[in-house]
Amino acid sequence: MNWLRDPGFLGTHATIGADLSQLMATLFTGLFIVGWFQARKRQADAHHWLMLGGMIAMLSFFVAYYLFRQLGVLAVEGKEGFGGSQALYDYVFIPILTLHIILVIIGLVMAVYMIVLGFRSQQVVNGIRSLNESLLQTSWRKIGTIFGVITALVMGLFLARIASAGFSVRKMEVYAGLLLLVAIVFAIEMSIQRIWPNGARRHRALGKFTMIIYCILFITGTTTYTMLYILFPGKIG
């Protein structure tokens, strides 16, 4: 994977990995905007397949991006990766980067959630796909079962990473934070289903929320890319 650290292809000071990340972020955001307009035009079938394919592709790419840090924005390089002033680094770059990382986590969780909600809240009648305007609720027992499966998968991945790269408190914090976030999302879901018991209305409301998250995510990611590799390039090897 050393070639990912070679000079990028967008004509900036970025690496191939950073350029690839920015390109994919632009592509996914564009796809989701198209999907949003499809939903607004009631093109349910086209919307379903575009969003499903786009979210699966995004999850596959960005889980590898942030979990294995092979295509990183050099967020952990420290001040030497940023060529601006210390004040700009502390009070502008780091806050934007922190917001970006938080939104990435929320965005990935919402991608999984919206895929599941999309299947649960839809109906296909005579070959025509649409949202089902009916009650859509789950129980704590089902939530517990799903969370148990996710916990087992995350722990398996964590143990595999330990076996290959060794144990670190930071890794443990990352995986524990992921499980905590999933638990919070499930708890919120139990509250949301009381607010929007109708599956179709819930899908529309949370779809709008997720779309807003992705647009802000693209803006923050593009801002960090611009600051790191165009405006204030640092000593990046």
Side-chain angles (χ1 to χ4, degrees):
M1 304 295 287
N2 290 332
W3 66 274
L4 292 172
R5 295 184 178 275
D6 291 340
F9 49 83
L10 295 181
T12 68
H13 292 273
T15 61
I16 289 179
D19 279 354
L20 182 59
S21 171
Q22 182 64 26
L23 180 64
M24 295 301 288
T26 303
L27 173 63
F28 291 134
T29 304
L31 284 177
F32 295 147
I33 291 175
V34 171
W36 170 256
F37 281 107
Q38 288 175 333
R40 298 279 292 180
K41 294 179 180 179
R42 297 293 190 269
Q43 298 173 351
D45 204 58
H47 169 79
H48 170 80
W49 291 113
L50 179 65
M51 296 302 285
L52 178 62
M55 285 190 172
I56 290 176
M58 182 193 71
L59 284 168
S60 300
F61 180 81
F62 284 104
V63 163
Y65 176 92
Y66 283 95
L67 186 58
F68 299 104
R69 298 182 184 276
Q70 296 292 340
L71 310 179
V73 178
L74 298 180
V76 294
E77 286 291 329
K79 181 63 176 62
E80 70 174 10
F82 180 78
S85 67
Q86 187 66 46
L88 191 63
Y89 177 78
D90 291 335
Y91 300 114
V92 179
F93 179 74
I94 289 299
I96 293 175
L97 179 62
T98 301
L99 175 61
H100 177 71
I101 293 173
I102 292 172
L103 291 178
V104 165
I105 297 172
I106 295 174
L108 291 176
V109 172
M110 288 306 299
V112 176
Y113 178 79
M114 290 305 297
I115 289 174
V116 175
L117 181 61
F119 279 104
R120 292 180 64 211
S121 61
Q122 70 174 327
Q123 61 181 358
V124 180
V125 180
N126 297 325
I128 300 176
R129 192 185 307 273
S130 63
L131 290 175
N132 189 1
E133 301 282 354
S134 62
L135 188 69
L136 181 64
Q137 293 184 316
T138 190
S139 64
W140 280 110
R141 182 177 180 180
K142 290 182 179 179
I143 289 292
T145 300
I146 296 172
F147 183 71
V149 172
I150 293 175
T151 300
L153 292 174
V154 171
M155 289 303 298
L157 183 59
F158 176 59
L159 293 175
R161 290 286 292 166
I162 290 177
S164 62
F167 173 82
S168 73
V169 175
R170 183 175 181 180
K171 290 177 185 177
M172 184 177 67
E173 290 175 347
V174 169
Y175 286 90
L178 176 60
L179 288 176
L180 177 60
L181 183 59
V182 172
I184 292 173
V185 170
F186 281 148
I188 293 175
E189 161 65 5
M190 297 303 290
S191 300
I192 286 177
Q193 69 180 12
R194 297 179 182 178
I195 301 173
W196 292 297
N198 181 287
R201 292 181 182 177
R202 192 188 314 167
H203 183 87
R204 295 188 186 103
L206 295 181
K208 183 182 296 185
F209 168 77
T210 304
M211 190 67 240
I212 292 172
I213 290 294
Y214 288 158
C215 287
I216 298 175
L217 182 59
F218 175 72
I219 293 172
T220 56
T222 301
T223 300
T224 57
Y225 177 92
T226 302
M227 294 183 73
L228 267 177
Y229 304 122
I230 300 177
L231 297 179
F232 309 105
K235 299 177 181 178
I236 300 172

